[in-house]
Every structure is written in C-alpha cells, then in structure tokens.
C-alpha cells in the first residue's frame, strides 16, 4: 500500500533521515517507533511532502507520489494527522469537519458525518461549539475525525497518544482498531510502547534517522535487546 | 445640530466605500499573507473602468449599475491575472518579495492608466435616479450618499454570511489560521488563493466604481487610498471583516469631523488613531492576539558570517576605484554616483534593522525625510551653514526614531511594519501641510552646499567619504556583540530574553541607530539637488529602500549597496522613456520572479553551485 524507498531528508545541512526504506501493507497497522528526535515526525512529513526530501521515492497504491503537492497526495487517499493537532480554533467543531470533507474516491470507506459521530460520540454534542473550547483529548479525537472526513484509504498518525490521559489513550486505541476493521491502513509514529502494542501489527524502529529494525510488533516488544538499544528512554 | 447629522452621514458614506476597499485588502492579507500594494491600484482601475463604461453605455439605471458591476468584475479578473502570473510563482519566497512584486504592479498599472485614460482627472456622471439631495432635519444630504451607505451595509452582511455560513468561508478562515494543514487535508491552496484574490479585487474595484458620482477620478487615487486602507485594516485587525467596518467608520467620521476642528492636520489624525489603537491593542480592534497572525515577514537564512579576506579586498578595490573615478568619468555620472552613495547608506541603515533585527519598516523614509528637512531647515532658518546642518541632520532623524521606535519595537511582523508606515505618513503629512515652515508641496529650495563643497567633484568625495564611513560603522556594529544580540533576537527572541537581554530596548537602540544613519543620508541628499520636497518622505521612498534591500539581497551584506546602485542607474536610464514606470515595474516583477534571493543572493548561490559542480 505504502512504500518508502531510500528516503533522505535534510534540515539545512543536517541530515535528519538517512536512507529510510520500509513498506506498509494494505490493511496493516504499522508503528514507527523511536525516541524523541529519531526522525519519526520527519518521516511522516516527508511522505506527505510537508517537508521536501532531498532524495528517495514514496509509492502509494502503486503510484509514485514524490512529485505531488500535499493536497494531491491527500486526494489520492492518504490522510495525515499531525502531532501538534493543528485543529482550526477559529472554526466550530462541525466546520473543522466540513472543510476536510471529500467523497469522490473509489475503493475507500466513505465517512459521513453520521458515521464519524458514531465513532466519536462526544464530537456530535460539541458540533456547534468553537474548537478552541475543547480539551486536549477532544482535540486529538477531532484531528483524527477531521482526517477521516477525507475518506482516506490509509492514514499517517503522528504520535496520537501524546499528552493524553490514560483513559483517552485506551479510547484512541479502540478507535484505531475500529478503523483497522474498516480496512484503513495505518502508519503511526509512537513513543508509547504500551499504546503501540495495543494497536500495531508491525514495528518499524528508527534511530538517528536510520531504520534499525522491522518485524512483528509482539517480537519487538519481547526482545529485551531491541527495547534497550532503541526504545528505552 | 442638523449640520452635524449631515456631516455624520457624509462620513458614513465615505466609510462605506473605504470599507469595500479595506475589507478586500484584509481578506487577501488574512489568507495569503500578502501585503498587496496593488490593491489601491485596483481601486483606481475600478473607478477609471466604471467611468468609461458608464459614459459609453446608454444613460439610465441599467447603464450605470451595469457599468459599476462590470468594472468590479473586470478588476476582479485583473487581480486573478496578477495572482496567477506573478504571485503564484513566488509564494515560496520571503513574504516581502511578494510585497515588492505588487509594488511593481502598482507602477505598471499607473502607466497603463495614464496611457489609456490620459493625464486629466475624469468627472463621472451622477447616478441616475439618485442625483438629488434629501432633506434631513433641514440639511441637504446627497441621495447617492445614502445609497452608498446602504450598499456598504449590504456588502458587510453578505461578506459576513459568506464567511460564517458557507464552506468556502470556513475554508478561508481555516486558511487564515493554518494553510499548510489545509493542504494536507486535500485543499488546493492555489485555487483558494485565486478565489480570494478575485473576491478581494472585486471589492476594490467596486469601491472605486462607486466613487465616480462622488469624486473625480484621478491618478493619485491608488496611493492615497492604499495608505488609508492599510490604516483601516490594521486598526480593525488583519483578516477581520467586522473590524474593517468598524475601523472604516471610525476613520471616516474622524475625518468628517476632524476637518471642522483641525483643518490643518486632517492627514495626521488618522495615523494618530492608528498609533493609539496599536499601542492599546497591538493586533487591532478585532484582530487575533496570536503570534502567527502577524506572520514572520522574513524567512530563510540571513547573513551571519563575517566577510572573508577576498570580499574585503574586493570592497577596498571598489572604494579605490571610486576615489579615482572623478578624473575619468563625466561630471553627470558623479552626480548619479553621489546619489548611489546616499541611497546605499539609506538602504544599509534599513538593512541594519531588517536583515539583522528582523524588524521590517514600511516607513524608513521618515528618517531620511527628517534628516533632509532637518538639514534644510537648519540651513535656511538657522543659518548654520552646510557643515553643521549635515552634522545635525542625523540627530533630527535620530530623535524621530527615538520617539517612533519606542512604539514600533513593541510590535512585530506586519503590524510593526504598518506602524512604521503610519509614523512616516505623519511626517509626510506635516511636511506636506505646514506650508509656512516646510514649503508644503513645493518643498524647501536653495539647499546648496557651502562654496568649498559646491563643486560636483568635491561634493562627490564628501558623499563618498561620509556614506562609506556610515556603512562601515553600521557593519562594524553588526559584527560586534551588539549585532550578534540583534541577530539572536531575530532568530529566537524568547531565548535571547531568557539569557538576560532586554530585547525590546536592544531593538529600540538598533532602530535609533538606523534612524541616525538614514538621517545622514537624507541630509546629504538635500544638498545634492538643492531642494527638499515631501517626496523625500513619501510611501514610494520607503518602498525604494525596501526594494533596494530586497532586490539587492537581504541575506547578504553588500546586497543593499548593489540594490542602490542598480536602482539609481536603472531609474535614471528609464526616465528617458515616456512610460518608464511601466518598464521599471516589469523589471521589478521580473527580478522578484527570477531572483528570489535578490541579485547578490542569487549570484552567490550560482557561485556556490558552480563551486560544488567543480568539486564533484
């Protein structure tokens, strides 16, 4: 579904990503794991072309997307949920969802407002409210819901559990599982191993901009050497 | 009493048309972050096109209103053309480049209008059906004024509905907040920007078209309205429609009643209001108090490395060449070069705060003008002689910078730039309106150098030595702790404050230093031509400085000097042509599109690439 090939990304002269390659299969949930500053967010932004990679190629659904603009990538069915949430605070909750609405896509689950509200019941109650007035957890739910409004076939989630209370983290995990059941492919970046263990099938470990390990999520969690070398703080 | 009510209605009618223009400007800025100087030109075009249409179409309501609407739509299309042909190519450049490019469009449209409609003012027909006056409480109020008031309210309501009740409106508001995120959600920014430019330009065109029964159509409408519209946008809060309406009413009523109380300083009043509002509410009445709202006007790497040995040798060589030049070239070129020196110092002083301090000034001409007028007035009224006049000119400008800077450094980004523009306009208004002191529009004449310096060659050396000395002094400060702190404050203000620097005060000092040197340039400029006119401090002069810095290359040290050189010689060559402004405008647009790093910056990058190619 999503293939990243030999991606290099620089910020100024500093190399942030070095030869990053991995694949995410259709319907799979893959977790990009690594410490702070390892290059997780940059990887997702490079795929989405919010950051321009120096070299390398990204193939989405058998189509190279390395020359496209972010909006064109989104329209192909690749959604993006940013780490900083970036909801539009001057808009209402309903408007936040409305601006992201796109329906004209084959082969993707079409997310109507009704279905979104089934998945996130408390968003329905806040529909007319200003997004500014939401709590952090509600904002995080809104960013996921907003991306779903584009009816994506795959989504990139940047640290969805960050800064959330444990109850909300559990809720987020349930939501992601439901998305998986709908057939949505998910690539999420995480530092929270517990959360990643709840939802991901596969682990991709990145450190200092290089991919160090790819394998089953469960195996990565059970392997003490891997945990100690790349994931422990 | 009834007189005051009639005056109030007149003010309201002016507010309506001002609101149309300002709301368009505000919407465009909110979404695209482009300070569109050409917006005033669109307003002027709206008036000229409406004049032609209404006089050509059959007389009657259909002809009149049809002409008004068509001209607004035509102007909308012109705005779209500008967006697609020029601005879309440079959205990746620093935001100020877009401003400079729109100023190129201002020059272009000015000459196109001259060519199409001729130099005379045009007196438009009255609106059929609304050509009389209504009696309100015993005072006559033109019917058309009432129509304009109603139209203003209708447009306000329509815009409010459009922004708050449609998906397009939600998109625009979202783009105002975070356009990159909107792109990641599948929205084609380019298309959204184009539609915003269309709407904004239609409003400008409509504002202009509706003016034809109220005032004659002139070639000065563009810059006259743009300054006022900026004030309205800033006072109301950038991107806020309702704010723009409130500010339009405040400014227009102030003008309507101010003219009764203080007829001599009407021009100043509006800018004073802006100063007061920004001091109390730094983001305008209804603006958003977020850092992003102002936007970082300067992006990308800017200079931090001291010029190397080769560079210093080259500069020394250039200086030596300039020293021997008078024995080789014609005197005319010496005059031109003296002008280059003066503008190089002027540009370098702006670069000092802009490139290094991240403080953008749209009104740097204030200090140039204060220096020029200060020197001229000392010479004429104080009889000080040239030497003392030039020596004191920087102090006059520095004093202005001390007062204006105190307020300016409290703001950042575009708000600061706009406040500096307001101060410059205050200086300009005073120079323009206090005729007894400054000679008003004609300026002060007889500003000639002392006998020993009156020879062109001697004055050439005088400007060369003083300007080179000034530039060196500025550079010296840039590579001293003072300059390091200034740059650090530009790049990470919070961190600089965290290590114990009073950044505001530091910026204030830098502002005053820049003012002092701009004043020196202004003083020297006055004696160069023997006359000091209000042009020394008007908007184009401030934009000149911006253009020299940006076109030369804000990221480089010698960029402003190269910019001054290119600017003065280009302008001089072009003056021979009838439509020199249009050519000049096109060249400016061309440079903005082709050289997003400025002349020196682009050459530098080419050299780097060539070196890299050789290495590999």
């Amino acid at each position: 579904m999503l293939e990243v090939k030999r991606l290099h990304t620089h910020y100024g002269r500093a190399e942030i990503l070095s030869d990053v390659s991995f694949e995410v299969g259709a319907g799979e949930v893959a977790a990009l794991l690594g410490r702070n500053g390892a290059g997780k967010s940059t990887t997702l932004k490079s795929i989405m072309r919010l950051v321009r990679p120096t070299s390398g190629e990204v193939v989405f659904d058998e189509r190279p997307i390395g020359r496209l603009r972010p909006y064109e990538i989104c329209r192909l069915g690749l959604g993006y949920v940013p780490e900083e949430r970036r909801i539009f605070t001057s808009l209402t909750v309903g408007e936040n969802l409305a601006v992201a609405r796109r329906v004209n896509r084959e082969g993707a689950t079409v997310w109507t407002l009704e279905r979104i509200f089934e998945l996130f019941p408390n968003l329905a109650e806040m529909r007319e409210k200003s997004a500014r007035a939401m709590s952090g957890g509600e904002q995080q739910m809104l960013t996921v819901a907003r991306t779903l409004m584009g009816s994506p076939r795959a989504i990139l989630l940047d640290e969805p559990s960050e800064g959330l209370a444990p109850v909300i983290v559990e809720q987020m995990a349930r939501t992601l599982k439901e998305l998986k059941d709908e057939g949505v492919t998910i690539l999420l970046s995480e530092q929270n191993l517990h959360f990643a263990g709840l939802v991901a099938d596969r682990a991709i470990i990145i450190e200092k901009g290089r991919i160090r390990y790819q394998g089953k999520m469960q195996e990565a969690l059970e392997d003490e050497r891997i945990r100690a070398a790349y994931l422990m703080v | 009493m009834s007189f005051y009510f009639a005056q109030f209605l007149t003010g309201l009618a002016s507010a309506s048309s001002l609101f149309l223009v300002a709301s368009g400007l505000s919407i465009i800025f909110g979404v695209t972050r482009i300070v569109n100087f050409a917006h005033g030109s669109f307003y002027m075009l709206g008036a000229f096109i409406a004049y032609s249409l209404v006089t050509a179409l059959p007389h009657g309501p259909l002809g009149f209103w049809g002409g008004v609407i068509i001209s607004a739509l035509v102007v909308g299309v012109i705005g779209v053309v500008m967006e697609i042909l020029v601005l879309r190519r440079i959205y990746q450049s620093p935001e100020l480049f877009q401003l400079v490019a729109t100023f190129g469009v201002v020059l272009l449209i000015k000459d196109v209008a001259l060519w199409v409609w001729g130099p005379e003012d045009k007196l438009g027909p009255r609106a059929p059906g609304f050509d009389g006056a209504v009696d309100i409480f015993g005072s006559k109020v033109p019917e058309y004024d009432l129509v304009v008031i109603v139209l203003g309210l209708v447009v306000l309501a329509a815009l409010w509905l459009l922004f708050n009740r449609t998906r397009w409106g939600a998109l625009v508001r979202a783009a105002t907040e975070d356009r990159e995120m909107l792109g990641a959600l599948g929205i084609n920014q380019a298309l959204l920007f184009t539609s915003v430019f269309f709407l904004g330009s239609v409003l400008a065109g409509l504002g202009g078209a509706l003016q034809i029964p109220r005032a004659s159509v002139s070639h000065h409408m563009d810059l006259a309205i743009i300054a006022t519209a900026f004030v309205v946008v800033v006072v109301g809060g950038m991107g806020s429609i309702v704010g723009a309406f409130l500010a339009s009413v405040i400014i227009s009523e102030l003008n309507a009643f101010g003219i009764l109380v203080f007829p001599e300083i009407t021009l100043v009043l509006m800018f004073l209001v802006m100063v007061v509002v920004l001091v109390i509410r730094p983001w305008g009445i209804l603006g958003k108090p977020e850092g992003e709202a102002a936007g970082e006007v300067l992006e990308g790497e800017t200079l931090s490395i001291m010029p190397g040995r080769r560079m210093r040798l080259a500069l020394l060589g250039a200086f030596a060449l300039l020293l021997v030049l008078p024995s080789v070239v014609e005197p005319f070129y010496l005059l031109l070069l003296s002008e280059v020196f003066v503008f190089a110092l002027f540009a370098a002083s702006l670069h000092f705060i802009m490139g290094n301090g991240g403080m953008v000034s749209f009104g740097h001409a204030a200090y140039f003008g204060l220096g020029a007028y200060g020197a001229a007035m000392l010479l004429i009224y104080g009889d000080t002689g040239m030497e003392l006049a030039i020596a004191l000119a920087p102090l006059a400008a520095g004093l202005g910078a001390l007062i204006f800077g105190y307020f300016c450094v409290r703001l950042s980004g575009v708000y600061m730039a706009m406040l500096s523009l307001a101060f410059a306009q205050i200086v300009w208004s005073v120079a323009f309106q206090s005729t007894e002191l400054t000679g008003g529009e004609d300026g002060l004449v007889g500003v000639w150098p002392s006998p020993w310096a009156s020879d062109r060659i001697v004055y050439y050396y005088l400007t060369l030595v003083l300007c080179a000395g000034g530039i060196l002094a500025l550079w010296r400060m840039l590579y001293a702790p003072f300059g390091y702190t200034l740059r650090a404050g530009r790049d990470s203000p919070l961190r600089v404050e965290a290590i114990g620097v009073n950044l505001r005060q530091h910026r204030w000092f830098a502002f005053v230093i820049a003012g002092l040197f701009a004043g020196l340039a202004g003083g020297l400029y006055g004696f160069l031509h023997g006359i000091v006119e209000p042009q020394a401090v008007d908007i184009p002069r401030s934009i000149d400085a911006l253009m020299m810095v940006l076109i030369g290359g804000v990221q480089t040290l010698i960029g402003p000097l190269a910019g001054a050189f290119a600017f003065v010689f280009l302008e001089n060559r072009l003056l021979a042509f009838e439509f020199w402004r249009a050519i000049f405008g096109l060249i400016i647009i061309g440079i903005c599109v082709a050289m997003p790093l400025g002349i020196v910056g682009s050459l530098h990058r080419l050299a780097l690439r060539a070196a890299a190619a050789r290495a590999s």
Side-chain angles (χ1 to χ4, degrees), chain B residues 279-305:
Chain B
V279 167
I280 300 168
R281 288 191 60 96
W283 291 279
I285 299 174
L286 293 180
K288 301 243 163 56
E290 290 150 38
E292 308 90 76
E296 279 312 311
V297 254
L298 267 174
E299 288 155 28
E301 267 177 65
T302 37
L303 76 165
S304 51
I305 304 159

Side-chain angles (χ1 to χ4, degrees), chain B residues 13-307:
Chain B
S14 305
S16 266
S17 89
L18 184 55
F19 163 68
L20 293 178
V21 184
S23 61
L25 190 66
S26 196
I27 296 166
I28 290 176
F29 177 82
V31 178
T32 65
R33 298 279 162 217
I34 290 176
V35 177
N36 181 18
F37 266 88
H39 202 71
S41 307
F42 292 163
Y43 167 80
M44 179 177 78
L45 277 182
F48 270 119
I49 295 171
Y51 164 82
S52 293
L53 284 175
V54 170
T55 41
L57 288 170
H59 187 74
L62 203 65
F64 180 82
W65 296 108
V68 166
I69 289 168
I70 294 171
S71 65
L73 293 176
V74 170
V75 172
V77 171
I78 294 170
V80 168
V81 169
M82 173 176 91
E83 197 272 338
I84 291 176
L85 288 187
V86 180
L87 298 174
R88 193 175 283 186
R89 292 164 198 279
I90 51 175
Y91 279 133
Q92 310 302 327
S93 313
E95 282 166 9
L96 282 174
F97 252 81
Q98 296 148 12
L99 177 155
V100 169
T102 64
F103 199 77
V105 176
V106 170
L107 297 175
L108 182 64
I109 290 180
K110 219 174 180 52
D111 267 2
V112 169
L114 262 175
W115 180 62
V116 175
W117 286 282
E120 302 85 24
D121 289 2
K122 301 275 186 251
L123 205 57
R126 290 173 174 246
F130 301 106
D131 44 8
V134 199
D135 198 84
I136 298 180
F137 303 135
S139 276
K140 295 251 180 263
V141 177
E143 284 171 342
Y144 187 73
D145 275 10
L146 300 179
V147 173
V148 172
I149 293 172
V150 172
L151 277 176
L153 290 171
V154 168
V155 170
L156 173 65
L159 286 177
W160 192 88
L161 287 174
L162 182 65
F163 280 98
N164 292 290
R165 289 290 177 268
T166 67
R167 178 163 184 267
W168 187 83
L171 280 174
V172 167
R173 280 183 291 139
T176 303
E177 210 175 310
D178 187 346
R179 53 198 210 201
E180 188 191 56
M181 188 61 228
L182 207 55
L185 290 170
I187 307 301
N188 183 355
Q189 264 190 42
L191 211 61
L192 188 66
F193 280 19
T194 307
S195 61
V196 163
F197 256 94
F198 180 72
L199 177 66
S201 308
V202 163
L203 289 169
L206 185 64
L210 286 175
Q211 277 301 80
I212 55 169
R214 300 187 76 220
S216 59
V217 186
S218 84
H219 289 280
H220 304 293
M221 290 171 80
D222 51 355
L223 287 184
I225 193 87
I226 196 72
T228 316
F230 279 152
V231 173
V232 168
V233 170
V234 171
V235 167
M238 299 220 178
S240 166
I241 301 292
V242 180
F245 186 79
L246 287 177
S248 300
V249 172
I250 293 171
I251 301 288
S252 302
E253 291 300 346
L254 202 77
N255 271 335
F257 288 101
I259 205 157
L260 306 174
V261 192
F262 325 96
E264 311 86 24
I265 56 155
T266 44
L267 289 172
V268 182
L269 267 182
M270 145 175 109
F271 296 104
L272 283 179
V273 171
M274 174 165 162
V275 172
V276 171
V277 168
L278 284 188
V279 167
I280 300 168
R281 288 191 60 96
W283 291 279
I285 299 174
L286 293 180
K288 301 243 163 56
E290 290 150 38
E292 308 90 76
E296 279 312 311
V297 254
L298 267 174
E299 288 155 28
E301 267 177 65
T302 37
L303 76 165
S304 51
I305 304 159
M306 186 109 142

Side-chain angles (χ1 to χ4, degrees), chain A residues 156-170:
Chain A
L156 310 173
L157 274 160
D158 203 354
E159 303 222 20
S161 74
E162 199 195 13
L164 298 185
V167 191
I168 315 283
V169 172
E170 304 279 328

